[in-house]
Amino acid sequence: MIKNDLFLRALKGETVDRPPVWMMRQAGRYLPEFMELRKKYDFFTRCQTPELASEITVQPIRRYGMDAAILFSDILVIPQAMDIEVEMKPNFGPYLPNPIRSKEDLENIIVPNIGDTLGYVMDAIKMTKEKLNDEIPLIGFAGSPWTILCYCVEGQGSKSFDKARGFCFTQPEAAHALLQKITDTTIAYLKAKVKAGVNAVQIFDSWGGMLSPKDYQEFSWPYIQQIVDALKELAPVIVFGKGCWFALGEMAESGASAVGVDWTCSAQNARYLTKGKVTLQGNFDPARLLSPPETIKKMVTQMIREFGKDKYVVNLGHGILPNIPVENAKAFIDAVKEYSE
Ligand code: CP3
């Protein structure tokens, strides 16, 4: 039994005194204690060493006391496990030296055995659960198949992922074959994460908003729906799509317990589009954490009033930025904990 189960209760839609709070990318570069470890170990060493991954996961919890922890890892461990080389270059970001551009490239892509390739993630989960001591729930995550395809085809980050979209539109069969392999791997991976102890899972469709609403229905949504279908009986599922307000209706009907909202969609519009059916999560503009702490607190209180305290998880509208002062992140969390009607 988890002592602070506010987050899990909000995912079930239960009535609460205040909404739970966590921040996307809360384990990361705005924290001085994270930067210390970052000096000593490269990115994938941090991901692959359960002692380090679990330590980084609990760092923000110790400092701020969020209502949920998210396992430190990365969405790109999936292509890595599928035998696609992934590097994390300092001051550059992800780099995949052999991007997928043709049907032939696809032949080498495997749907791996999760225990053999990603066992270290399961060990990190078990170690994190011990450190959390059942105080708060632990979230596991994966990228959406479309978002993973973006990196596999583009080979690096991009503002528009033109090559990835071009691949889908010129070689749709190959694109669908790749999306299905990623989906199969992701389902097995998330099932293993739940078995190892995570209490909820979130799917990040970070680049869903690059697709037109129509193309989203072809290249992103059906694969997310497969993942929700496979997971929803095992753990609550949160679907977050950046720039995907147009898909909030489908997301609300999908069987997911919660739907993420970014800051370009108002609370009122998100409730309207999801017909009040589902718990919503979001949507503070990450750059708004640069405002003075007093302003942040007022805006957070206002945001809770707009979403309503029930069926709601307070979060940012995307990941926290590296340049956020630690006291501003604290103001965000504290404002939620101090909330009362
Ligand atoms: O939320 C958390 O605190 C858990 C940790 C987490 C990381 N990546 C650690 C990380 C999570 C949930 C992710 C997911 C992720 N990774 C996404 C989806 C979420 C989102 O923000 O849209 C995406 C698109 C990636 C891919 C990725 N990983 C990029 C583009 C980069 C480089 C850019 C950047 O933000 O630095 C990474 C590296 C990465 N993943 C870092 C961290 C803390 C920073 C690099 C470092 O610490 O050396």
Side-chain angles (χ1 to χ4, degrees):
M1 268 296 113
I2 290 181
K3 286 168 209 147
N4 171 0
D5 63 350
L6 201 52
F7 173 66
L8 297 174
R9 286 169 51 211
L11 292 182
K12 283 189 201 137
E14 289 177 15
T15 302
V16 290
D17 292 334
R18 65 153 178 97
V21 58
W22 68 282
M23 295 187 296
M24 289 191 270
R25 298 284 199 107
Q26 66 189 19
R29 289 168 299 174
Y30 69 107
L31 286 178
E33 53 273 37
F34 175 86
M35 293 311 278
E36 278 305 306
L37 282 177
R38 192 171 182 267
K39 274 188 225 154
K40 288 187 222 154
Y41 308 97
D42 72 50
F43 183 74
F44 285 113
T45 304
R46 277 176 272 144
C47 291
Q48 288 162 7
T49 314
E51 287 78 6
L52 294 174
S54 60
E55 171 60 22
I56 295 169
T57 301
V58 300
Q59 278 177 346
I61 310 303
R62 279 194 208 116
R63 193 184 259 272
Y64 300 118
M66 291 92 168
D67 298 304
I70 179 160
L71 186 75
F72 177 79
S73 184
D74 201 84
I75 61 169
L76 299 175
V77 302
I78 285 289
Q80 244 176 6
M82 297 172 78
D83 246 358
I84 302 171
E85 204 179 325
V86 182
E87 299 166 24
M88 194 60 72
K89 286 198 184 178
N91 307 318
F92 181 82
Y95 181 67
L96 295 77
N98 306 304
I100 296 166
R101 299 281 163 81
S102 68
K103 217 172 162 196
E104 291 68 48
D105 294 338
L106 252 177
E107 279 159 20
N108 304 320
I109 307 307
I110 58 159
V111 174
N113 176 299
I114 297 299
D116 295 347
T117 50
L118 292 161
Y120 65 86
V121 178
M122 311 313 149
D123 294 338
I125 290 169
K126 288 173 197 153
M127 202 172 273
T128 305
K129 290 293 287 181
E130 276 171 34
K131 289 187 185 174
L132 289 174
N133 194 26
D134 287 334
E135 294 288 341
I136 52 169
L138 178 63
I139 304 167
F141 67 88
S144 75
W146 157 252
T147 289
I148 298 299
L149 175 144
C150 279
Y151 288 100
C152 292
V153 174
E154 202 81 25
Q156 61 184 65
S158 163
K159 282 206 163 56
S160 53
F161 287 98
D162 296 340
K163 292 192 184 81
R165 287 186 293 151
F167 179 70
C168 289
F169 304 153
T170 54
Q171 303 181 71
E173 259 178 53
H176 282 296
L178 175 56
L179 287 163
Q180 193 59 53
K181 283 188 186 189
I182 298 168
T183 302
D184 295 345
T185 308
T186 302
I187 288 172
Y189 175 57
L190 288 176
K191 282 186 175 176
K193 278 180 146 173
V194 173
K195 212 169 159 201
V198 301
N199 306 98
V201 297
Q202 174 156 326
I203 302 163
F204 284 91
D205 197 3
S206 305
W207 305 119
M210 294 290 147
L211 292 167
S212 72
K214 203 160 173 237
D215 287 326
Y216 192 79
Q217 293 305 331
E218 178 170 355
F219 294 103
S220 188
W221 179 251
Y223 299 96
I224 297 178
Q225 181 69 66
Q226 283 188 43
I227 299 172
V228 175
D229 288 342
L231 266 296
K232 68 179 180 194
E233 308 297 338
L234 306 175
V237 181
I238 306 168
V239 178
F240 167 70
K242 170 89 176 26
C244 296
W245 61 270
F246 55 78
L248 289 178
E250 270 89 19
M251 290 176 178
E253 304 274 357
S254 67
S257 296
V259 171
V261 183
D262 72 27
W263 66 96
T264 64
C265 182
S266 68
Q268 193 195 17
N269 198 23
R271 287 288 183 208
Y272 170 78
L273 292 168
T274 57
K275 302 192 175 77
K277 279 186 184 164
V278 80
T279 294
L280 295 178
Q281 174 176 281
N283 71 343
F284 206 72
D285 177 354
R288 265 290 175 190
L289 287 184
L290 292 166
S291 291
E294 280 317 306
T295 308
I296 293 171
K297 286 194 161 184
K298 281 193 197 123
M299 290 183 76
V300 169
T301 307
Q302 182 62 25
M303 179 172 76
I304 298 172
R305 292 213 176 101
E306 285 170 14
F307 276 99
K309 71 170 170 66
D310 293 324
K311 288 193 173 184
Y312 180 44
V313 176
V314 179
N315 206 316
L316 305 174
H318 198 197
I320 189 167
L321 303 167
N323 61 341
I324 298 303
V326 285
E327 59 275 19
N328 294 27
K330 182 173 183 331
F332 180 79
I333 304 294
D334 285 351
V336 184
K337 292 188 171 175
E338 289 158 13
Y339 181 84
S340 66
E341 298 228 302

